[in-house]
Amino acid sequence: MKRSSFLKSIALGGALVTNIDKGPAAQSGPLSQENKPKATLSADLVIAGGGLGGCAAALAALRNGLSVILTEETDWIGGQISQQGVPPDEHPWIETHGATKAYRDFRTAVREYYQKNYPLTAEAKSRKNLNPGDGSVSKLCHEPRVAVAVLTDMLNPYLSTGKLTLLLEHKIVSADVKGNKVQSLTALNRRSKTQVTLAAPYFADATELGDLLPMTGTEFVTGAESKAETGEFHAPEKADPNNVQAFTVCFAIDYRPGENHVIEKPREYDFWKNYVPKMAKPWSGRLLDLSYSNPKTLEPKQLGFHPEGIPTGNNLNLWLYRRIINKANFAPGTYAGDITIVNWPQNDYTLGNLIGASEKDFDKHFERGKQLSLSLLYWLQTEAPRPDGGKGWPGIRLRKDVMGTEDGLAKYPYVRESRRIKALFTIKEEHVGAEQRAAVTGQSAGVKAAAFEDSVGIGYYHIDLHPSTGGDNYIDFGSLPFQIPLGALLPVRMENILPANKNIGTTHITNGCYRLHPVEWSIGEAVGLLVGYASSKNVLPRGVREDKGLLAGFQEFVKGEGVETEWKG
């Protein structure tokens, strides 16, 4: 499927466009499509990418009086939590601390959405920390569409007042840059094929792959750095800019016992059925199997699968892992069965790199990723081993409505790794990795992550790198609750473009713990607040970090906005 036309497979959406300046007065006589003047939109901040980082940046800027233009390539805002179909991956303390107030407000609003609109059981409705799916991966496993609804509700007041212009189904295709500053971006309406110029004093790259960095000439890195470059314990001996983590095309399924919902055999099924990943440290066997490489030891590890949620002994039942609807939480008869998201080791795609890919190659790998996911579904329906000795679960049904697409697969690949800016400060394993941090500090117990004097947020996740395009198996090891340094959000040269997603100053290794939902939100929120603060002080964002007084003032400002800058205890 062509990237330029992949919207044919997604539910119809729209774009709210306001305050359009039509540009120069029309010339006499008819104009061709090529020489028609572009419309121009202006705001205090232009944000490319409507994922969690982009939405958080927009909300932070908007509540502090700035005007914002927010673009999104698909018809759903929310990024990994919606268009990519990934329930939130969060740390164990998320209910009380370790995230911004705005992110916790979002989580609360998701729960309230279910309590207000869904026929929950009395017990579930009264549960303080409702988890609609009771998935084991998160304390809040929920439907992608609910995330879209909640984020839209959060943005609606600003849409109504005209402070926010939201351009859905718009992709940034070029940039106008002078010296160290971006002047404007050009966005393509993917439906009408018209273009619009977006002008602002500040820009944020919240795209999933760091698309603005090469367009604007912002210095960046990709893939894996060498051990000689970073000194990281887990870095490879040789750098490889094309070695990035797998992406995944997620999908949703439910189970209807006694029914047959087997899909047509995918055209690449024979390939994927027999595919054994080629990795430097061997995979457990065939990819389509109920075994995988233990992320920490790389030894073969068995998994379980039973679509009725029945325990599978000591093995993780994959059905329960990312379950987003547990029918037991709803009034009897509401759901015939549970709904779960399939984002498993078996549909991680390692045969191509989306970063820097041409449109043709992006299309090719996205389509092959879809074929892998459909092959996994077909395998589950026809060949997966059952506890009774039989094969296949024909009652498994692809829930196209959950993902809002015609083919039932996510609107966009779940991207784990992006381009990363060359930043004023780069976060390395020595700053956040448990083992290397202990070696650096000489502490055998009670070791903490590096304390950054310019911290503008906090987060936590273990360092979790999925199998890669360069043939790495899992790289998964302990990290420490960490801070987000302002220096990692500032490019080495460019003055008015900031990263607001997975494209901050991390390494290939530390990206593994800075890429999850609440951290992406915290990054975006810090960027939105930084633009407002720097504008109010009439300094560049880097000037805030360079002046100790301004830095202290900014840190007090973000704390007042509900942002934690250091871990308790």
Side-chain angles (χ1 to χ4, degrees):
M1 180 175 62
K2 299 297 183 184
R3 191 181 192 196
S4 60
S5 60
F6 82 80
L7 291 173
K8 292 179 181 177
S9 70
I10 65 178
L12 295 181
L16 178 64
V17 182
T18 60
N19 303 325
I20 296 182
D21 175 3
K22 294 297 184 181
Q27 303 173 17
S28 60
L31 292 174
S32 69
Q33 187 65 37
E34 290 73 19
N35 62 20
K36 281 184 180 178
K38 296 175 188 173
T40 298
L41 293 171
S42 299
D44 298 316
L45 172 63
V46 170
I47 303 169
L52 289 177
C55 286
L59 288 164
L62 288 162
R63 69 174 182 260
N64 282 283
L66 274 63
S67 59
V68 173
I69 299 168
L70 176 63
T71 71
E72 167 50 43
E73 190 171 338
T74 73
D75 64 340
W76 273 8
I77 56 175
Q80 58 181 312
I81 208 169
S82 60
Q83 54 165 254
Q84 296 168 39
V86 184
D89 278 300
E90 300 170 326
H91 57 70
W93 312 285
I94 193 68
E95 300 293 355
T96 57
H97 61 285
T100 71
K101 178 182 180 299
Y103 183 75
R104 291 196 301 271
D105 287 346
F106 165 75
R107 298 177 82 254
T108 297
V110 168
R111 287 176 168 142
E112 290 176 345
Y113 192 94
Y114 278 95
Q115 291 163 343
K116 178 181 178 182
N117 297 295
Y118 283 66
L120 295 165
T121 65
E123 186 278 328
K125 195 166 188 175
S126 64
R127 200 183 307 161
K128 179 182 178 183
N129 293 329
L130 171 67
N131 189 346
D134 291 318
S136 61
V137 75
S138 172
K139 297 177 185 294
L140 187 58
C141 286
H142 58 87
E143 299 159 277
R145 196 180 298 277
V146 171
V148 178
V150 169
L151 289 168
T152 301
D153 282 351
M154 296 173 79
L155 293 172
N156 268 340
Y158 305 105
L159 289 167
S160 179
T161 60
K163 296 294 286 185
L164 172 64
T165 300
L166 176 60
L167 303 179
L168 297 175
E169 300 180 78
H170 279 67
K171 179 177 174 58
I172 305 300
V173 292
S174 65
D176 178 25
V177 180
K178 292 184 180 178
N180 297 335
K181 287 191 174 183
V182 180
Q183 304 296 309
S184 66
L185 303 175
T186 297
L188 173 70
N189 183 322
R190 303 193 70 149
R191 188 176 296 277
S192 69
K193 305 304 179 184
T194 57
Q195 294 185 353
V196 58
T197 298
L198 310 177
Y202 289 100
F203 299 84
D205 184 349
T207 62
E208 298 300 320
L209 293 167
D211 290 340
L212 267 57
L213 303 184
M215 287 185 199
T216 59
T218 302
E219 290 80 1
F220 66 91
V221 297
T222 63
E225 299 93 343
S226 70
K227 188 170 295 187
E229 291 177 85
T230 66
E232 294 172 307
F233 283 2
H234 290 83
E237 294 299 327
K238 185 178 180 180
D240 184 353
N242 294 313
N243 185 20
V244 300
Q245 293 184 68
F247 71 81
T248 305
V249 182
C250 302
F251 59 97
I253 51 177
D254 64 6
Y255 180 59
R256 306 297 292 263
E259 298 180 9
N260 187 339
H261 294 281
V262 177
I263 63 171
E264 181 180 348
K265 181 181 175 181
R267 66 175 181 274
E268 289 192 17
Y269 181 70
D270 290 336
F271 172 84
W272 290 113
K273 175 186 174 181
N274 296 297
Y275 177 70
V276 178
K278 296 177 182 179
M279 296 180 179
K281 295 182 179 179
W283 190 252
S284 58
R286 291 182 179 178
L287 186 60
L288 300 190
D289 197 358
L290 291 182
S291 67
Y292 78 128
S293 293
N294 184 316
K296 297 188 182 299
T297 68
L298 302 186
E299 294 296 320
K301 182 176 181 179
Q302 283 297 122
L303 294 164
F305 180 76
H306 198 299
E308 292 179 303
I310 294 172
T312 52
N314 293 325
N315 300 327
L316 171 69
N317 183 353
L318 285 168
W319 184 265
L320 303 177
Y321 185 45
R322 296 185 186 272
R323 185 174 61 177
I324 56 172
I325 290 292
N326 177 2
K327 68 176 183 178
N329 285 331
F330 301 85
T334 302
Y335 292 98
D338 302 337
I339 303 174
T340 196
I341 295 287
V342 180
N343 171 23
W344 302 343
Q346 292 91 337
N347 61 329
D348 277 0
Y349 180 89
T350 58
L351 297 184
N353 179 3
L354 298 180
I355 299 174
S358 66
E359 187 169 333
K360 180 179 178 181
D361 285 341
F362 182 100
D363 295 340
K364 178 183 74 174
H365 292 304
F366 190 15
E367 179 59 30
R368 294 206 72 195
K370 289 188 173 192
Q371 282 292 306
L372 169 56
S373 288
L374 290 171
S375 295
L376 173 57
L377 171 61
Y378 186 76
W379 181 82
L380 291 170
Q381 293 172 324
T382 62
E383 299 196 53
R386 298 197 311 259
D388 62 5
K391 290 185 177 182
W393 304 86
I396 291 175
R397 180 175 61 164
L398 181 62
R399 287 294 301 268
K400 298 181 179 183
D401 56 315
V402 172
M403 292 299 182
T405 60
E406 292 180 6
D407 61 15
L409 303 172
K411 295 174 184 289
Y412 198 88
Y414 171 36
V415 174
R416 296 181 174 89
E417 189 168 346
S418 169
R419 299 174 181 89
R420 305 182 298 278
I421 64 165
K422 288 186 178 181
L424 293 181
F425 181 83
T426 301
I427 305 156
K428 300 178 182 178
E429 186 180 342
E430 66 182 75
H431 301 122
V432 297
E435 180 187 5
Q436 190 162 358
R437 189 71 191 147
V440 167
T441 62
Q443 294 177 286
S444 58
V447 63
K448 294 183 178 181
F452 299 125
E453 64 178 4
D454 62 344
S455 173
V456 292
I458 60 175
Y460 174 74
Y461 202 76
H462 61 282
I463 292 179
D464 169 25
L465 278 71
H466 281 232
S468 72
T469 58
D472 291 333
N473 206 321
Y474 281 103
I475 300 174
D476 189 305
F477 59 95
S479 67
L480 302 162
F482 54 75
Q483 296 175 327
I484 301 169
L486 179 57
L489 309 183
L490 297 170
V492 292
R493 179 181 61 86
M494 295 296 287
E495 297 176 349
N496 69 335
I497 181 171
L498 300 165
N501 200 316
K502 305 174 191 70
N503 50 351
I504 68 169
T506 57
T507 64
H508 174 69
I509 297 296
T510 57
N511 166 72
C513 62
Y514 277 79
R515 65 179 178 82
L516 284 308
H517 302 65
V519 181
E520 181 188 334
W521 182 290
S522 294
I523 290 166
E525 188 164 358
V527 165
L529 295 174
L530 177 61
V531 169
Y533 185 82
S535 298
S536 71
K537 301 298 182 182
N538 198 29
V539 297
L540 293 172
R542 67 177 58 229
V544 175
R545 184 172 183 261
E546 292 167 352
D547 186 300
K548 289 188 176 181
L550 288 175
L551 175 60
F554 179 57
Q555 289 172 317
E556 287 303 309
F557 169 58
V558 301
K559 290 176 186 176
E561 292 281 314
V563 175
E564 299 173 69
T565 60
E566 57 185 342
W567 282 88
K568 301 174 183 177

